[in-house]
Amino acid sequence: MTTATVNKPAKVAINGVDVPTFVATLGVVGQSPDIAKFTFRANGEWLSGTHSRTSFSGFFGAMSEMEHKDTYSIDGDHPQVLCGGDNGATPVEMLLAGLSACITAGIGNIASIRQVKLHSVETSIEGDINLNGILGLDKTVRNGFSGVRATFKIKGDASDEVLEQIVHQSVARSAVFDVLTNGVPVTVAAIAN
């Protein structure tokens, strides 16, 4: 009887993800878990009416202060029907965008680790809100979404079952999904001059 050795092919970069570096990062974090502790920051300013701008320039991660390659910003506003100037997405739309972006990023990473070539990922996310809550007209109505529905259409070089597993694994690992479904303590300080 002879014993044959089966060599798995090395994982390669795919879907725009540097898989060898990602795998190496997982190994380093596994050896030094404190590297995985991050603090992200957003700095906002009021512009006028319901219009504001939030900027993102730096964060703490991998045990040091880091800077994005550019400072990013998002304008937020309310539409005219809600007495705003419609100069940006509403804050609740930004929340939906965060959920979409987080799960989509996970899909890209997970498919790449599994060496599944993606052709497309399309997202549709809706959130239902009754404004009687935030307008203070009905104290029995919550201020936020009463429900959120997300649909991910995914096409790639794998069976439908594997593609669906990739989406479900991404949802299970999504930080934004976790915050939305499990809540998180939030502290607010007001400083008036």
Side-chain angles (χ1 to χ4, degrees), residues 7-13 19-20 115:
N7 290 327
K8 288 184 179 179
K11 295 192 180 215
V12 297
V19 176
Q115 297 289 272

Side-chain angles (χ1 to χ4, degrees), residues 26-110:
L26 291 172
V28 170
V29 173
Q31 296 295 316
S32 302
D34 284 345
I35 291 175
K37 295 178 180 177
F38 278 62
T39 299
F40 291 99
R41 300 182 191 104
N43 298 301
E45 67 175 318
W46 171 74
L47 300 175
S48 177
T50 58
H51 185 197
S52 66
R53 180 167 296 130
T54 304
S55 299
F56 315 88
S57 58
F59 56 94
F60 179 86
M63 302 174 74
S64 65
E65 287 296 325
M66 306 192 112
E67 295 290 323
H68 287 292
K69 67 179 181 177
D70 291 310
T71 296
Y72 302 104
S73 64
I74 300 172
D75 278 30
D77 203 351
H78 290 176
Q80 292 176 336
V81 69
L82 295 176
C83 302
D86 207 12
N87 295 300
T90 66
V92 291
E93 288 171 318
M94 289 185 220
L95 185 70
L96 297 177
L99 181 61
S100 173
C102 190
I103 295 173
T104 301
I107 290 169
N109 280 337
I110 293 163

